[in-house]
Amino acid sequence: MKSFLTKTTLLTLPTLALSNPLISYAGYYYTNCTSPSVTAANVAASYCVNVEDIPIKSFTAYVFSGACADASTTPVLHTYTESGCAADSLFETVDVDEEKQCFEADVTLVSLGVECV
């Protein structure tokens, strides 16, 4: 019986993961998100991800997969200048959707967070 419960639990995990948005981020040395990318990450809702401590001039962000569980909310990407998504180091919050967007930013971003608002 225990193995059945374990298998059932494992089978439901992908469904739960798909209900939260996963945001793809890439930071660029140059304005207008011109290649090459110097840092990249995927960030799931309600998590904080530290990225490489490299100065950038622009970044891209888009919803790679999933969606907010509450259909009346949309995902946003919070960008921070300190590790651990410290509230006092919030640089910018941007709305994201399935279309890759370019944002200008003359800064060194160190952590990223995603939230449905």
Side-chain angles (χ1 to χ4, degrees):
M1 186 75 157
K2 183 178 179 183
S3 66
F4 174 75
L5 291 175
T6 302
K7 288 179 184 174
T8 302
T9 303
L10 290 174
L11 291 174
T12 61
L13 288 177
T15 304
L16 293 173
L18 290 176
S19 65
N20 289 320
L22 182 64
I23 306 302
S24 255
Y25 157 90
Y28 298 84
Y29 270 132
Y30 303 105
T31 58
N32 299 320
C33 301
T34 306
S35 292
S37 167
V38 294
T39 183
N42 287 328
V43 188
S46 302
Y47 287 93
C48 175
V49 172
N50 291 333
V51 292
E52 292 186 43
D53 189 0
I54 299 172
I56 61 168
K57 295 288 185 182
S58 59
F59 67 90
T60 58
Y62 66 98
V63 177
F64 177 74
S65 66
C68 293
D70 180 348
S72 68
T73 62
T74 57
V76 296
L77 175 70
H78 300 295
T79 59
Y80 301 89
T81 57
E82 294 178 15
S83 64
C85 300
D88 61 343
S89 73
L90 178 66
F91 171 71
E92 184 176 18
T93 296
V94 296
D95 295 326
V96 291
D97 57 26
E98 293 81 20
E99 190 173 319
K100 187 183 287 188
Q101 300 172 65
C102 179
F103 303 94
E104 300 303 318
D106 190 359
V107 67
T108 299
L109 296 178
V110 182
S111 59
L112 309 167
V114 172
E115 176 181 20
C116 290
V117 294

